């Protein structure tokens, strides 16, 4: 049987060198193991998240870059030394050396042993923001330019480590207090925050009766807040143009008391099935999930009272959930605002007079947020911006998020 560290090592190699997504690579890796699953998750997400910090220490004690597999082992060992208090230094170093032998690279045992001992004796993380929080300098510089240094230094401490998990009550059956009780019956601890339950203990959705019985869905607090901003009413028609996996649509259905019509769209059939299965589990009957391209106007889609336009984005607001996002090249997202504007313009054509549309992203980048909305308003004088909000990550709250509420004044 493979050790947890070997499993983590193999998964990290897929992420770093085969460009696999961390969540997909991890899910595929751990689906057939029962023991030490949480340790594997902690190692993989931790090393990906803290790569810049780890490489700072590794490079400090090496004269040349090591072979890729040895670099992965050094990162694993350094992460355990610097960020896993419950792992003794001796275990972190000795198991790393053993891992070198396990992959038949015995020649490098002395190097790995020496470098990790030096890191163990050092442990002083510099105040440089990039190294301290393991975020590329170009991303930090962009944030400081757009939001100011004080704001950025305020949320950087919240982007690493285990993110909070929120259970959104299915208000067709329970409120937050009742859900808290049901979770306690499943031996899951939590506390109520803004009509949601923040889960504060370990849990397994597959073994949680409250989840299987459709009493809640998982959704970030900022996303939940965005859904609430539509201020929906019973009997309305709503479009969720980029819906999968459906969290906002589920929240909105509850707010509408399962009365009205919600059309939830996604570009891919597999993701549409996610929405359908989620709605069925929650006992929601008003969601109609279908495949649709948000960039192309579809005459078969009915006019709506409210529209949620949660567009594809760079994801810089959710890097604590998907840590590899922070390493994106900024040039690779240069075309996103054009796509986002096209989706917003297309979506707005489905809106009734006096209707409301919410444009939102899970990113912190004004080029994808305020500038897209301003470009839309400059071309569509019949819309008025009534509310605009940027949320920054907090330790016990939501992720980074942006939303703008627009009202259509006339056809």
């Amino acid at each position: 049987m493979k050790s947890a560290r070997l499993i983590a090592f193999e998964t990290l190699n897929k992420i770093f060198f085969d460009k696999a997504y961390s969540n997909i690579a991890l899910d595929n890796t751990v689906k057939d193991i029962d023991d030490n699953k949480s340790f594997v998750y902690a190692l993989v997400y931790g090393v990906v998240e803290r790569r810049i910090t780890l490489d700072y220490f590794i490079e400090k004690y090496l004269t040349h870059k090591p072979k890729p597999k040895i670099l992965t082992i050094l990162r694993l060992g350094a992460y355990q030394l610097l960020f896993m208090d419950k792992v003794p230094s001796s275990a972190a170093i000795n198991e790393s050396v053993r891992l070198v032998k396990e992959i038949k690279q015995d020649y490098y045992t002395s190097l790995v042993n020496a470098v990790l001992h030096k890191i163990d004796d050092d442990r002083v993380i510099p105040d440089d923001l990039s190294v301290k929080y393991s975020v590329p300098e170009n991303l930090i510089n962009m944030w400081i330019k757009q939001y100011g240094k004080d704001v950025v230094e305020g949320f950087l401490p919240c982007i690493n480590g285990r993110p909070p998990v929120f259970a959104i009550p299915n208000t067709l059956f329970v409120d937050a207090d009742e859900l808290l009780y049901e979770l306690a019956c499943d031996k899951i601890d939590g506390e109520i925050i803004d009509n949601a339950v923040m889960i504060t203990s370990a849990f397994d959705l597959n073994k949680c009766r409250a989840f299987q019985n459709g009493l809640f869905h998982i959704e970030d607090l900022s996303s939940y807040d965005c859904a609430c901003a539509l201020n929906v009413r019973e009997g309305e028609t709503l479009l969720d143009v980029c819906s999968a996996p459906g969290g906002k649509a589920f929240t909105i259905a509850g707010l509408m008391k399962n009365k009205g019509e919600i059309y939830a769209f996604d570009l891919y059939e597999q993701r549409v099935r996610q929405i359908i299965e989620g709605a069925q589990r929650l006992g929601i009957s008003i969601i109609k999930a279908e495949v649709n391209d948000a960039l192309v106007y579809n005459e078969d889609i009915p006019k709506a009272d409210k529209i949620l336009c949660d567009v594809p984005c760079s994801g810089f607001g959710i890097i604590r959930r998907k840590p590899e996002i922070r390493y994106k090249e900024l040039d690779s997202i240069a075309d996103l605002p054009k796509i986002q504007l096209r989706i917003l313009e297309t979506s707005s054509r489905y809106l009734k007079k006096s209707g409301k549309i919410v444009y939102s992203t899970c990113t912190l980048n004004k080029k994808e947020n305020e500038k897209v909305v301003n470009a839309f308003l400059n071309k569509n004088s019949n819309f008025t911006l009534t509310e605009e909000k940027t949320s920054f990550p907090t330790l016990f709250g939501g992720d980074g998020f942006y939303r703008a509420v627009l009202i259509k004044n006339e056809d």
Side-chain angles (χ1 to χ4, degrees):
M1 182 180 293
K2 293 180 180 179
S3 68
R5 288 176 174 86
L6 179 58
I7 293 170
F9 164 81
E10 293 175 343
T11 307
L12 286 166
N13 281 334
K14 293 175 184 176
I15 295 168
F16 289 140
F17 308 119
D18 298 337
K19 306 301 181 183
Y21 291 109
S22 60
N23 58 330
I24 296 174
L26 257 175
D27 289 344
N28 289 336
T29 299
V30 304
K31 63 183 179 181
D32 296 324
I33 66 171
D34 296 320
D35 298 330
N36 295 320
K37 189 176 293 189
S38 60
F39 186 50
V40 174
Y41 270 96
L43 286 173
V44 172
Y45 275 123
V47 171
V48 174
E49 182 179 80
R50 292 287 190 172
R51 193 184 80 190
I52 291 176
T53 311
L54 302 175
D55 287 356
Y56 163 82
F57 281 96
I58 292 168
E59 292 167 7
K60 194 173 179 181
Y61 298 112
L62 282 178
T63 56
H64 60 278
K65 192 171 183 177
K67 294 173 64 174
K69 290 183 178 180
I70 300 304
L71 177 58
T72 299
I73 291 175
L74 285 169
R75 285 170 171 169
L76 270 168
Y79 180 74
Q80 293 169 72
L81 290 171
L82 297 170
F83 298 107
M84 299 189 84
D85 295 337
K86 294 183 179 179
V87 177
S89 295
S90 57
I93 296 171
N94 293 338
E95 291 301 323
S96 297
V97 171
R98 180 180 298 178
L99 194 54
V100 175
K101 296 177 181 178
E102 204 165 354
I103 64 167
K104 303 187 186 309
Q105 297 288 324
D106 299 47
Y107 176 80
Y108 295 97
T109 54
S110 297
L111 181 144
V112 169
N113 184 67
V115 171
L116 292 180
H117 271 291
K118 288 177 180 177
I119 293 174
D120 189 32
D121 291 336
D122 186 345
R123 293 177 175 261
V124 179
I125 300 176
D127 289 330
D128 175 85
L129 293 178
S130 177
V131 176
K132 186 175 182 178
Y133 297 109
S134 208
V135 177
E137 287 186 3
N138 59 353
L139 181 54
I140 287 180
N141 291 338
M142 184 193 81
W143 279 339
I144 290 175
K145 182 178 179 180
Q146 293 185 359
Y147 301 108
K149 190 173 183 180
D150 288 345
V151 170
V152 175
E153 289 184 337
F155 73 72
L156 279 175
C158 307
I159 64 168
N160 294 316
R162 184 178 179 181
V165 177
F166 294 95
I168 308 301
N170 182 355
T171 52
L172 301 179
F173 304 114
V174 293
D175 59 21
D177 287 310
E178 291 167 330
L179 176 58
L180 191 65
Y181 171 79
E182 294 291 340
L183 289 172
C185 292
D186 281 334
K187 298 182 180 179
I188 298 173
D189 299 327
E191 59 180 277
I192 297 175
I193 297 179
D194 295 338
N195 298 317
V197 175
M198 183 175 73
I199 296 176
T200 57
S201 63
F203 68 100
D204 184 344
L205 284 180
N206 295 321
K207 298 178 181 178
C208 175
R209 288 175 298 174
F211 181 79
Q212 300 302 325
N213 291 335
L215 300 186
F216 70 94
H217 67 276
I218 299 295
E219 184 181 6
D220 177 68
L221 201 61
S222 294
S223 175
Y224 171 76
D225 177 64
C226 175
C228 293
L230 278 162
N231 194 26
V232 294
R233 298 173 183 172
E234 295 177 35
E236 289 184 324
T237 297
L238 179 133
L239 307 183
D240 186 356
V241 298
C242 302
S243 184
K248 297 181 191 66
F250 302 152
T251 293
I252 292 166
L255 294 171
M256 291 171 63
K257 299 182 180 178
N258 207 28
K259 297 176 182 178
E261 291 183 310
I262 297 175
Y263 292 85
F265 300 111
D266 194 86
L267 188 58
Y268 301 104
E269 180 66 40
Q270 182 178 355
R271 290 170 63 80
V272 168
R273 285 200 297 271
Q274 281 185 291
I275 303 170
I276 294 172
E277 290 168 0
Q280 289 174 343
R281 181 182 60 81
L282 293 163
I284 296 170
S285 61
I286 64 170
I287 292 178
K288 300 176 182 178
E290 300 174 0
V291 173
N292 185 67
D293 186 349
L295 287 167
V296 180
Y297 185 76
N298 184 344
E299 293 184 352
D300 294 331
I301 293 176
K303 296 291 184 177
D305 302 289
K306 306 282 172 64
I307 296 176
L308 177 60
C309 187
D310 187 56
V311 296
C313 67
S314 58
F316 290 141
I318 57 170
I319 61 176
R320 62 183 176 183
R321 299 188 188 278
K322 298 181 179 179
E324 67 267 31
I325 286 176
R326 70 186 70 197
Y327 306 115
K328 281 182 179 179
E329 292 293 335
L330 296 185
D331 289 344
S332 71
I333 63 169
D335 291 334
L336 271 176
K338 294 178 184 178
I339 296 170
Q340 293 158 340
L341 179 58
R342 281 184 58 195
I343 293 175
L344 178 56
E345 289 176 333
T346 302
S347 301
S348 70
R349 295 175 62 187
Y350 301 117
L351 195 63
K352 296 178 181 178
K353 182 181 177 180
S354 302
K356 180 183 294 185
I357 185 168
V358 168
Y359 172 85
S360 63
T361 75
C362 59
T363 196
L364 299 174
N365 180 8
K366 289 190 175 183
K367 290 182 179 179
E368 301 177 66
N369 297 339
E370 288 91 339
K371 289 190 175 182
V372 170
V373 172
N374 289 338
F376 174 80
L377 291 171
N378 288 336
K379 296 169 68 175
N380 297 272
S381 58
N382 58 330
F383 280 80
T384 301
L385 175 66
T386 62
E387 184 185 354
E388 198 171 25
K389 179 180 179 181
T390 298
S391 301
F392 298 97
T394 61
L395 287 175
F396 304 107
D399 293 328
F401 215 88
Y402 169 83
R403 62 172 165 83
V405 182
L406 305 165
I407 301 294
K408 186 176 184 179
N409 302 313
E410 57 186 49
D411 291 326

